[in-house]
Amino acid sequence: TGVQTCALPISLIDVALFPIPGMVAFPGTTVPLHVFEPRYRQMVTDAVEHDRMIAVCHTKKEIRSAKDGQTMQDALNNNQATYQPFEVFSAGTCEIIDTTADGRVYIHISMSKRLQLVREVQTIPYRIVACSELEDESELVSDDELMAYQKLITDSVVELIGKHDPAKLSEFNSDQWLALTPTEFSFKIFQLVRFDADTMQSILEATSNLERLQMVNSLIHPGTT
């Protein structure tokens, strides 16, 4: 008789979910946010108290619209639009930077993990979701090939900075960017260059360094791979 084996259960991570249209965040980056809705102010308070990560995600569509013509006081007292989130997003620990007299909160979220939604744990007053970590697949590609893409992209960033803000060129350290691992580079590059949200969502969902670097390079240099 054959030996029976069973797969180990996937370890799930519970995170609070903050859907924001057009917002795609990447691991290794810090996302500053201004939080004013009651449910999300509560989410921030709970996340800090319980050491729970917050995930920020792009959205597929609006489920319920916010009321028109609201004042800031209205927004502080009422929850706004509700959205259907994409299932892949980044999450990290939250730090409260400032709280205003009227209760608004300024936070930084240090993104550390790329996650995939598995199931909803809580819906009201804000979503908590159970997620699995999205890992890259094994790559059959040389470090030299990945480094070649990093150098192409880095050289393009240097050229763009030189054209649009020459004064900042002295602050840009190419060697530091080339010293990053391909994974770090393929996520952190979005601190410097941005594309439309749906394109960046596709890059976030890509499961190899080569695929991400090729996508970025083709966007910077149309017609190349």
Side-chain angles (χ1 to χ4, degrees):
T1 59
V3 177
Q4 291 186 339
T5 60
C6 60
L8 293 173
I10 298 173
S11 177
L12 297 182
I13 303 167
D14 284 358
V15 300
L17 192 62
F18 198 164
I20 305 175
M23 175 65 77
V24 180
F26 292 84
T29 63
T30 298
V31 176
L33 292 174
H34 169 211
V35 185
F36 54 87
E37 286 187 56
R39 57 183 164 181
Y40 294 127
R41 283 185 281 144
Q42 183 64 52
M43 179 187 71
V44 167
T45 300
D46 293 347
V48 171
E49 181 179 346
H50 299 294
D51 197 24
R52 177 183 292 126
M53 290 193 298
I54 294 177
V56 174
C57 67
H58 182 30
T59 60
K60 293 181 178 180
K61 65 179 182 180
E62 187 176 74
I63 298 171
R64 181 180 60 80
S65 300
K67 294 179 180 177
D68 293 331
Q70 294 187 86
T71 64
M72 176 53 73
Q73 193 59 43
D74 292 332
L76 285 165
N77 292 320
N78 298 286
N79 293 324
Q80 304 299 301
T82 299
Y83 299 95
Q84 179 184 353
F86 276 91
E87 288 82 8
V88 174
F89 37 74
S90 296
T93 55
C94 172
E95 178 187 2
I96 296 175
I97 304 301
D98 190 28
T99 301
T100 65
D102 59 8
R104 290 174 288 139
V105 184
Y106 290 86
I107 65 172
H108 285 172
I109 303 176
S110 300
M111 298 298 175
S112 59
K113 294 184 181 294
R114 184 174 51 150
L115 304 175
Q116 185 158 21
L117 193 154
V118 174
R119 58 183 172 82
E120 199 162 84
V121 175
Q122 170 183 299
T123 305
I124 298 173
Y126 56 85
R127 287 188 181 105
I128 296 178
V129 292
C131 308
S132 58
E133 191 162 357
L134 183 62
E135 303 279 4
D136 280 346
E137 300 169 357
S138 299
E139 291 184 296
L140 299 175
V141 60
S142 70
D143 290 342
D144 287 345
E145 186 173 354
L146 294 174
M147 179 57 71
Y149 277 110
Q150 280 186 230
K151 188 170 189 320
L152 270 174
I153 295 167
T154 302
D155 289 347
S156 297
V157 169
V158 169
E159 185 178 349
L160 288 170
I161 293 174
K163 283 181 179 178
H164 298 288
D165 196 351
K168 284 198 171 182
L169 199 55
S170 61
E171 301 173 16
F172 184 79
N173 190 323
S174 297
D175 290 339
Q176 284 183 354
W177 282 90
L178 292 173
L180 296 173
T181 67
T183 300
E184 290 171 336
F185 183 92
S186 66
F187 289 139
K188 281 194 171 186
I189 190 62
F190 299 105
Q191 291 177 333
L192 303 173
V193 293
R194 304 291 292 181
F195 306 106
D196 67 271
D198 288 343
T199 297
M200 292 182 60
Q201 181 69 32
S202 296
I203 295 171
L204 180 67
E205 294 178 8
T207 53
S208 82
N209 292 315
L210 181 60
E211 185 181 2
R212 285 191 295 273
L213 292 172
Q214 285 179 331
M215 291 172 75
V216 174
N217 187 58
S218 65
L219 289 162
I220 295 174
H221 304 105
T224 65
T225 57

